[in-house]
């Protein structure tokens, strides 16, 4: 079990995260918040790239900072900006990562081939990554994160640069990987996690806003989301969330305590919740 | 540190085009420096080759026997020039007063106060070394006779300064690049989040140090090799470096604390240079880690080095002799004195083997500084 206990991170007078307490058990956790809310800060503390100003992060009761390499060896990490060596092939890059993970060559070699196959890069495993597309690079990043078959897999904005087909493929991959490990997936794209996350962690104002199942989060807006035709005048308490193209033309999804004139109640989705929670540009 | 990781880091380092290109440029410059001097001094090279050839027949020790043996050689202009240059030479170190040399230097440079006393004391101790050199009659070594004054400085000062300078610069660049390469390739988050973590910097240090040492040795080997091919010195390599023919302007006879042959002195000089490569490499690695960026690290190191050289020089000009002498305990000033290492060191050194002491001191200090930088780096946020 991974537990974040009263963790705060400050950069001088700026507080990036304040008093965060969370517990992670097996399953997929979607870390959902707009850019700048502190998702990456939290993730970087989980992989010991950043050190908390206050609080502690524990794995099975042990401080991860005192565990050092033992902890990092249990974690697979795909950073938000996945860097790579342009003159390297995926296979040699993975071999280098295996050396950094202290894996012996005999174990590493078949594992690398297996993972490159899993992410669909077998055909280009010996080609230099210089010419790779963003999606291909991201897949190399995912493969390297899985190298040690980690107990905790942490992916920071993993779908950036992926096309819709790759996104679906990626979601399926994550879902299959999550059965026996903790997967923490940070994103600001709701659809990435809506269907695969067991729990959603929401950060707001650099604090923990909620950690709950998607259904539970959506339930808070039950009976308060309506669809109205675009151009309908709204009341002072009504909050337009998103526009979409309905069968009768352009429609607007609206948050409202009482149904606006001509509105039809709709089932709240995670995107509605996201837009409502982070209304007015809140982070 | 693991051997496998060091191999990886070596591979990464040498896959950068900049690294082999820089080494090739250094080699090119060395070949040019060795070649151009040989070309400009073809007559001297021919004379040196002639002297090397006849040394086997006439002997190497100057005196009446050598004069007679030279007279018996077939007549030719090179023989005449050689005979003229060695005729009537005496052992100039017999009765040589080291204390007088010390006083002369103190007076010439205007050294005062405790610094003057320390230099005076050093020259008093140096007398024993001069006496030992005199007992060995090294001043009577023919060496390359009248060509020595061109040959020795070219090899021991110009080429050695060039090779060691290149070695140090290359070592610093390698160390700085190794320390900051993950930032440049934006891989630091991926790399430092692995089991090895930030400790990978130690493997990088080892890989860049091996590269620096290997490159330095290659530079030495090629430069000395090319020099040896161009200047066919033969037995001259075994002649004393303190022959009376080797006189430096404002320095006088090339008197060393212990006797050296030309080959021995060159080897000692290049070996000390090897030690300096280790020192500068570790300092650069520490600077790279502390600055958190290879460019900032290079700038910081460059400024510190420039300040140390300029500061020492200004201290001498301003008559701050304590500061001036302290400056020669810095690795930069040690390098500046390349070519006169193991000599009395004029007013730059205070005791025998100061070069070795300074080198040893900085090997320890640079090592400790690097370890301290690693320790700090291990607790530094990777933003």
């Amino acid at each position: 079990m991974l537990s974040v206990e009263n963790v705060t991170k400050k950069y001088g007078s700026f507080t990036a995260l304040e008093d965060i307490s969370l517990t992670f058990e097996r399953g997929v956790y979607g870390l959902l918040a707009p850019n700048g809310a502190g998702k990456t800060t939290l993730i970087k503390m989980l992989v010991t790239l950043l050190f908390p100003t206050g609080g502690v992060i524990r794995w099975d009761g042990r401080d991860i900072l005192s565990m050092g390499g033992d902890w990092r060896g249990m974690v697979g990490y795909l950073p938000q900006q996945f860097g790579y060596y342009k003159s390297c092939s995926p296979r040699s890059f993975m071999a280098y990562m295996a050396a950094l993970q202290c894996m012996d060559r005999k174990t590493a070699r078949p594992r690398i081939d297996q993972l490159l196959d899993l992410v669909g890069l077998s055909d280009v495993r010996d080609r230099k990554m210089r010419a790779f597309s963003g999606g291909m690079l991201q897949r190399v990043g995912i493969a390297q994160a899985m190298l040690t078959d980690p107990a905790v897999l942490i992916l920071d904005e993993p779908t950036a640069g992926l096309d819709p087909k790759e996104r679906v493929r990626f979601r399926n991959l994550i879902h299959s990987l999550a059965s026996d490990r903790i997967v923490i997936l940070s994103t600001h794209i709701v659809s990435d996690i809506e269907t695969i996350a067991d729990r959603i962690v929401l950060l707001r104002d650099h604090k923990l806003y909620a950690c709950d199942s998607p259904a539970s989060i959506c339930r808070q807006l039950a009976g308060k989301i309506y669809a109205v035709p675009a151009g309908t005048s709204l009341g002072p308490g009504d909050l337009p969330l998103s526009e979409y193209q309905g069968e009768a033309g352009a429609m607007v999804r609206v948050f409202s305590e009482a149904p606006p004139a001509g509105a039809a109640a709709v089932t709240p989705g995670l995107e509605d919740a996201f837009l409502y929670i982070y209304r007015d540009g809140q982070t | 540190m693991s051997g496998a990781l060091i191999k990886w880091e070596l591979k990464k380092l040498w896959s950068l085009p900049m690294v082999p290109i820089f080494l090739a440029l250094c080699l090119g410059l060395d070949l040019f420096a060795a070649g151009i001097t040989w070309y400009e001094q073809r007559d001297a090279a021919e004379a040196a080759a002639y002297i090397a050839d006849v040394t086997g027949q006439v002997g190497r020790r100057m005196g009446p026997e050598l004069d007679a043996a030279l007279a018996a050689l077939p007549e030719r202009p090179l023989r005449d020039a050689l005979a003229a240059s060695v005729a009537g030479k005496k052992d100039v170190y017999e009765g040589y007063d080291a204390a007088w040399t010390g006083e002369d230097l103190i007076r010439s440079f205007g050294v005062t106060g405790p610094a003057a006393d320390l230099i005076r004391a050093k020259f008093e101790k140096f007398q024993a070394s001069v006496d030992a050199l005199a007992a060995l009659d090294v001043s009577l070594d023919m060496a390359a006779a009248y060509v020595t004054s061109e040959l020795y400085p070219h090899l021991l000062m110009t080429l050695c300064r060039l090779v060691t300078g290149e070695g140090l610069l290359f070592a610093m660049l390698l160390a700085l690049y190794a320390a900051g390469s993950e930032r440049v390739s934006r891989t630091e988050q991926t790399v430092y989040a692995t089991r090895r973590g930030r400790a990978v910097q130690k493997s990088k240090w080892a890989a860049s140090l091996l590269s620096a040492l290997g490159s330095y040795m290659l530079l030495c080997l090629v430069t000395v090799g090319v020099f040896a091919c161009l200047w066919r010195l033969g037995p001259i390599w075994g002649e004393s470096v303190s022959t009376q023919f080797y006189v430096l302007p404002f320095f006088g006879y090339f008197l060393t604390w212990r006797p050296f042959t030309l080959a021995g002195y060159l080897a000692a000089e290049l070996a000390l240079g090897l030690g300096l490569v280790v020192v500068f490499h570790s300092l650069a690695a520490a600077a790279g880690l502390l600055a958190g960026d290879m460019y900032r690290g290079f700038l910081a190191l460059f400024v510190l080095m420039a300040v140390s050289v300029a500061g020492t020089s200004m201290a001498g000009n301003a008559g701050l002799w304590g500061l001036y002498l302290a400056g020669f305990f810095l690795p930069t000033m040690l390098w500046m004195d390349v070519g006169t290492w193991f000599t009395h060191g004029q007013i730059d050194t205070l005791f025998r083997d100061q070069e070795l002491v300074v080198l040893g001191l900085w090997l320890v200090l640079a090592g400790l500084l690097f370890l301290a930088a690693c320790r700090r780096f291990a607790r530094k946020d990777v933003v």
Side-chain angles (χ1 to χ4, degrees):
Chain A
M1 189 177 74
L2 177 64
S3 60
V4 176
E5 299 170 12
N6 308 107
V7 164
T8 296
K9 180 66 185 175
K10 290 184 178 181
Y11 297 101
S13 59
F14 173 71
T15 303
L17 279 179
E18 192 174 350
D19 198 26
I20 303 288
S21 291
L22 280 165
T23 303
F24 299 95
E25 285 171 337
R26 208 164 51 187
V28 179
Y29 288 78
L31 196 48
L32 187 63
N35 289 330
K39 300 187 299 286
T40 298
T41 301
L42 178 60
I43 279 180
K44 282 187 170 181
M45 285 194 286
L46 291 174
V47 293
T48 71
L49 289 175
L50 295 180
F51 298 96
T53 314
V56 65
I57 302 171
R58 294 183 202 277
W59 171 255
D60 286 344
R62 289 176 66 196
D63 182 352
I64 61 165
L65 293 181
S66 67
M67 289 173 74
D70 288 343
W71 164 245
R72 289 190 300 272
M74 291 164 51
V75 180
Y77 172 53
L78 172 66
Q80 189 175 15
Q81 286 171 322
F82 172 63
Y84 62 102
Y85 311 115
K86 287 178 182 161
S87 56
C88 259
S89 67
R91 195 191 246 181
S92 62
F93 179 76
M94 295 276 285
Y96 175 59
M97 295 309 295
L100 287 169
Q101 294 286 14
C102 306
M103 291 172 78
D104 65 80
R105 274 175 131 186
K106 275 186 185 170
T107 319
R109 209 171 281 176
R111 177 78 180 147
I112 289 167
D113 288 343
Q114 182 198 351
L115 284 168
L116 289 175
D117 193 36
L118 184 73
V119 297
L121 291 173
S122 295
D123 295 345
V124 291
R125 64 188 176 190
D126 292 317
R127 204 178 290 172
K128 286 188 177 174
M129 292 195 280
R130 182 176 282 124
F132 278 20
S133 68
M136 288 164 88
L137 290 172
Q138 204 69 352
R139 280 187 272 159
V140 176
I142 293 163
Q144 66 79 28
M146 285 301 299
L147 202 53
T148 54
D149 193 15
V152 181
L153 181 61
I154 300 176
L155 309 165
D156 195 358
E157 307 275 2
T159 54
L162 299 187
D163 61 34
K165 197 175 157 192
E166 284 173 321
R167 280 183 125 87
V168 172
R169 187 189 160 96
F170 170 76
R171 278 204 292 267
N172 294 340
L173 177 65
I174 296 301
H175 197 251
S176 67
L177 293 173
S179 58
D180 56 352
R181 76 189 84 231
I182 296 170
V183 178
I184 301 171
L185 198 155
S186 143
T187 187
H188 60 275
I189 302 167
V190 175
S191 59
D192 280 352
I193 50 169
E194 194 163 28
T195 52
I196 58 166
D198 299 300
R199 295 181 87 78
I200 305 288
V201 177
L202 293 165
L203 299 172
R204 199 172 83 168
D205 297 330
H206 308 288
K207 291 178 188 162
L208 179 67
Y209 179 79
C211 177
D212 217 333
S213 66
S216 189
I217 290 170
C218 293
R219 209 175 298 130
Q220 292 170 21
L221 298 182
K224 292 175 183 172
I225 304 295
Y226 300 92
V228 297
T232 305
S233 59
L234 300 173
D238 298 343
L239 179 70
L241 297 173
S242 60
E243 284 193 28
Y244 68 101
Q245 199 64 30
E247 284 178 9
M251 302 291 285
V252 180
R253 289 174 81 92
V254 179
F255 170 87
S256 183
E257 293 291 345
V266 290
T267 310
L270 195 56
E271 188 169 85
D272 296 322
F274 181 83
L275 293 169
Y276 174 73
I277 292 164
Y278 300 107
R279 62 190 179 275
D280 303 329
Q282 290 191 57
T283 57
Chain B
M1 258 192 296
S2 83
L5 256 185
I6 293 172
K7 271 189 212 164
W8 271 109
E9 296 302 338
L10 277 169
K11 199 173 152 188
K12 277 170 67 184
L13 210 52
W14 286 91
S15 68
L16 272 179
M18 173 204 99
V19 173
I21 288 174
F22 188 90
L23 183 60
L25 285 174
C26 289
L27 284 169
L29 186 61
D30 293 347
L31 295 181
F32 177 76
I36 194 77
T37 309
W38 172 81
Y39 183 75
E40 284 172 355
Q41 300 180 348
R42 285 188 306 281
D43 293 343
E46 192 190 344
Y50 172 76
I51 295 165
D53 284 344
V54 301
T55 298
Q57 300 167 49
V58 301
R60 50 187 280 266
R61 227 355 85 88
M62 293 184 287
E65 285 174 18
L66 182 82
D67 295 343
L70 280 174
L73 288 176
E75 200 173 321
R76 56 183 291 196
L78 283 176
R79 187 213 60 172
D80 297 343
L82 174 61
S85 71
V86 300
K89 292 289 184 191
K90 302 229 164 46
D91 186 355
V92 291
Y93 301 155
E94 204 70 59
Y96 184 93
D97 188 356
W100 183 88
T101 304
E103 281 303 330
D104 189 41
L105 287 167
I106 288 166
R107 198 172 44 251
S108 304
F109 286 99
V111 187
T112 52
D117 294 338
L118 289 169
I119 293 166
R120 206 169 278 124
K122 175 187 75 173
F123 274 97
E124 276 170 22
K125 285 181 185 154
F126 190 60
Q127 185 64 52
S129 293
V130 177
D131 292 344
L133 291 174
L136 293 167
D137 294 335
V138 295
S139 80
L140 292 172
D141 270 13
M142 181 166 69
Y146 61 95
V147 184
T148 307
S149 56
E150 293 169 58
L151 174 68
Y152 277 25
H154 169 53
L155 175 63
L156 302 178
M157 302 199 88
T158 312
L159 289 184
C160 279
R161 188 181 291 273
L162 184 64
V163 169
T164 51
E166 288 166 346
L168 300 185
L169 183 62
F170 196 37
M172 288 191 290
L173 292 177
L174 286 169
L176 282 165
Y177 180 78
S181 61
E182 303 305 342
R183 172 167 279 220
V184 173
S185 55
R186 294 180 167 188
T187 44
E188 54 183 352
Q189 292 182 34
T190 317
V191 168
Y192 300 146
T194 59
R195 180 183 281 268
R196 186 69 58 180
R198 293 165 175 88
V200 71
Q201 282 296 344
K202 287 177 186 166
S203 301
K204 289 176 182 294
W205 174 85
S208 55
L209 180 62
L210 285 174
S211 300
L213 292 176
S215 303
Y216 173 73
M217 286 192 272
L218 180 70
L219 288 172
C220 292
L221 211 68
V222 170
T223 308
V224 173
V226 167
F227 173 88
C229 289
L230 295 175
W231 297 75
R232 288 177 292 107
L233 299 184
I236 296 174
W237 286 108
E239 298 284 278
S240 174
V241 79
S242 299
T243 169
Q244 62 183 290
F245 285 112
Y246 190 18
V247 184
L248 289 170
F250 312 110
F251 191 92
Y253 292 122
F254 198 80
L255 290 161
T256 51
W257 285 95
R258 59 173 68 76
F260 281 105
T261 61
L262 174 62
Y265 186 83
L266 178 67
E269 201 174 19
L270 294 178
L272 207 148
L274 192 80
L276 272 182
V277 165
V278 179
V279 170
F280 276 76
H281 173 271
S282 291
L283 289 177
L289 286 181
L290 291 172
D293 176 284
M294 57 192 259
Y295 302 109
R296 278 207 303 258
F298 179 78
L299 199 65
L301 204 62
F302 181 79
V303 168
L304 279 175
M305 287 165 61
V307 165
S308 72
V309 173
T312 306
S313 173
M314 283 163 69
N317 292 335
L320 303 168
W321 296 108
L323 207 59
Y324 176 80
L325 286 169
F328 285 90
F329 283 82
L330 296 171
T332 40
M333 294 311 294
L334 178 57
W335 176 72
M336 294 291 281
D337 267 354
V338 64
T340 57
W341 290 336
F342 312 112
T343 66
H344 55 67
Q346 284 194 319
I347 59 161
D348 296 348
T349 61
L350 290 176
F351 49 85
R352 180 187 178 129
D353 293 334
Q354 181 171 315
E355 300 85 1
L356 296 177
V357 172
V358 173
L359 177 66
L361 181 77
W362 278 97
L363 280 171
V364 174
L365 283 178
L368 290 175
L369 191 65
F370 173 70
L371 288 176
C374 280
R375 215 178 147 83
R376 185 176 174 273
F377 184 70
R379 296 290 301 171
K380 198 175 168 187
D381 284 345
V382 178
V383 183

